[in-house]
Amino acid sequence: MPRRQLFMFRAVFLSFVFALMGSGLVLAQETTGSILGTVTDSTGAVIPAAQVVVINRQTSNQQSTVTTGAGLFNFTNLPIGDYDLKVSKEGFKQHVQNEIHLDVNDK
């Protein structure tokens, strides 16, 4: 094989190897999931501006958000594990959902 062709082969081969290595690293980093939902009252009406807190049961780390005008909330990039979810709003009884298990890419 001529020297120039050998160089091109090596460059293409190394590029391919690095691409495979990089894609493996990206796949290995997928260790999160999401918890999302809609907060409604007993009649099914959405509850805007409700406080939603998610608590990691292993670490006790907390994240909080407020529901949108459509009653939606979304916690993304949560480490896999077990969570408790608390929803509260003045004038409503607090709702607690315990032991939500989150796996990789769960939503």
Side-chain angles (χ1 to χ4, degrees):
M1 189 179 283
R3 185 178 176 114
R4 184 172 182 190
Q5 285 179 331
L6 183 60
F7 175 76
M8 289 300 292
F9 174 76
R10 285 182 183 165
V12 169
F13 178 75
L14 288 175
S15 295
F16 180 71
V17 169
F18 288 131
L20 285 177
M21 288 172 51
S23 66
L25 291 175
V26 170
L27 292 176
Q29 293 176 357
E30 293 291 331
T31 59
T32 62
S34 300
I35 297 176
L36 49 99
T38 305
V39 177
T40 60
D41 66 13
S42 59
T43 68
V46 297
I47 312 250
Q51 180 75 27
V52 184
V53 179
V54 66
I55 305 154
N56 183 304
R57 293 175 65 91
Q58 288 79 25
T59 65
S60 298
N61 287 341
Q62 297 184 21
Q63 291 185 36
S64 64
T65 191
V66 175
T67 58
T68 66
L72 303 173
F73 67 89
N74 190 6
F75 295 98
T76 59
N77 298 319
L78 295 172
I80 59 172
D82 296 314
Y83 289 85
D84 293 333
L85 184 78
K86 296 180 181 181
V87 181
S88 59
K89 171 132 184 183
E90 189 175 328
F92 292 89
K93 181 179 175 185
Q94 183 182 48
H95 175 76
V96 178
Q97 178 71 44
N98 290 317
E99 299 182 25
I100 300 169
H101 183 74
L102 191 62
D103 282 323
V104 175
N105 293 325
D106 274 355
K107 293 184 181 176

